[in-house]
Amino acid sequence: MFSKAAYSITINENTAAGHCFLKLEATSGDSVDKVNYFLGSGKDNHAFDLNKLTGDLCTRKLIDREQQDKYELQVIANDGKFETSVSVTIGTCPI
């Protein structure tokens, strides 16, 4: 289970590639297995990387608000037995 039902965050435009800005957290269904994180399929995955071990969500490229001002992601957590997913909405604001 993720610690939140959904995540929503705003980041500054022109955020550089490699900037980590959100840590997603999920617990194992039976509390003994290690949780791995994955990006679900989606058109906005190209802009972000997700650390499969820590749940840290990071920019993959420079975020340009003029090209796109909102991103929608689906993140999946899996402990080898149980799987859950959560929506992540990322807005961009001018600096």
Side-chain angles (χ1 to χ4, degrees):
M1 278 302 228
F2 280 94
S3 57
K4 294 184 177 185
Y7 291 83
S8 182
I9 191 166
T10 302
I11 61 175
N12 290 331
E13 72 174 327
N14 297 327
T15 297
H19 176 73
C20 296
F21 58 91
L22 179 63
K23 183 174 186 71
L24 296 132
E25 296 183 67
T27 55
S28 173
D30 57 9
S31 71
V32 292
D33 296 310
K34 191 166 115 177
V35 176
N36 288 309
Y37 301 90
F38 305 93
L39 286 175
S41 61
K43 65 178 180 65
D44 293 335
N45 291 357
H46 66 280
F48 302 96
D49 283 319
L50 181 64
N51 184 304
K52 76 178 247 179
L53 300 177
T54 65
D56 288 326
L57 187 61
C58 308
T59 54
R60 180 183 291 178
K61 64 176 195 160
L62 180 74
I63 300 299
D64 185 349
R65 188 172 195 270
E66 293 172 9
Q67 290 182 356
Q68 188 169 348
D69 63 353
K70 184 178 175 183
Y71 299 85
E72 301 279 341
L73 304 175
Q74 200 66 17
V75 174
I76 299 164
N78 185 313
D79 69 358
K81 297 177 190 164
F82 301 98
E83 186 171 285
T84 187
S85 65
V86 70
S87 296
V88 179
T89 303
I90 304 157
T92 57
C93 63
I95 53 172

